[in-house]
Amino acid sequence: MSQDRSLDNAELLAVLDWYQSAGVDLAVGEAPVDRFAQIAPAPQAIAPRPAQPNQTAAAAAPVPAAALGGDPSEARQLAASAQSLEQLRGILDGYNGCGLKFRATQLVFADGNPEAKIMLIGEAPGAEEDRQGKPFVGRSGQLLDRMLAAIGLDRTKVYIVNTVPWRPPGNRTPTPEEMELCLPFLNRQVELVAPSLVMTLGGPAMQTVFKTTNGIIKMRGKWQRVAIGGHEVDAVPTLHPAYLLRNPAAKQQAWRDLLGLKVKMAELGLG
């Protein structure tokens, strides 16, 4: 009997995980409703819909017209003006040129040690990152922490950022326009931290940093010298922890990439 219950729980958790991945992260009722069985009322019988107190302000807030057609040159100008990470964060807090800001709960700027010589670059915040305001703090973040620990690293020895600092609705991939608007801020962040080594996590981050349309499977594990803004650095792509959660067999490939990072660290005396 206990085995049947564990199977049921596993199936329920799988369904919940699927809903979360699809962007369904808000419950609007305690019981399911069969909408097809309902008969539409006459127009005059429709009562005004009451306000939903549990809806987030971000979901209801209108997007300013300026954010619907942001100016990349303005983003480049603002990013270049930052002389410190604190200034850059303040500029991003006040920047309204990217519409993603108005659908997110808060800015997800960075985590880890800004003095670290190793930088990890992901794609965009997820639901848990959006709630906490830090990158990689959900299930994929927990896996990332274990991956780092396997080669003697933790968040005090790396600096973690995303290519886009606001969560895209439903965890979708950022559009090319959104990427273009956010890229100057990522470039400036890298310039200010000036890491010795960069590891990108997942395909979109790899394509942004390596300026390629190749897929992650073809590129992962291959070191290249890249320019991120005005900073040149040795960089390597690896698989995103969220992909590894869905495809555990790929952890072997990610492990090889981590060992490659450890070798590079030793070559540069980064311990």
Side-chain angles (χ1 to χ4, degrees), residues 130-146:
D130 187 44
R131 278 189 285 270
Q132 296 191 35
K134 292 182 179 180
F136 288 94
V137 291
R139 288 182 63 214
S140 62
Q142 294 165 14
L143 176 56
L144 177 61
D145 288 342
R146 295 195 296 271

Side-chain angles (χ1 to χ4, degrees), residues 100-163:
L100 289 177
K101 176 179 181 178
F102 301 95
R103 292 292 180 257
T105 302
Q106 60 184 314
L107 174 74
V108 180
F109 184 68
D111 194 25
N113 182 2
E115 301 295 325
K117 292 302 179 183
I118 301 167
M119 178 179 278
L120 306 180
I121 303 177
E123 176 190 346
E128 192 59 37
E129 289 75 15
D130 187 44
R131 278 189 285 270
Q132 296 191 35
K134 292 182 179 180
F136 288 94
V137 291
R139 288 182 63 214
S140 62
Q142 294 165 14
L143 176 56
L144 177 61
D145 288 342
R146 295 195 296 271
M147 292 165 63
L148 293 174
I151 58 169
L153 295 175
D154 58 32
R155 294 192 184 222
T156 67
K157 299 175 183 176
V158 299
Y159 190 68
I160 308 173
V161 299
N162 280 312
T163 56

Side-chain angles (χ1 to χ4, degrees), residues 44-55:
Q44 63 271 22
I46 298 176
R49 185 178 180 180
Q52 299 294 322
N54 63 341
Q55 288 182 339

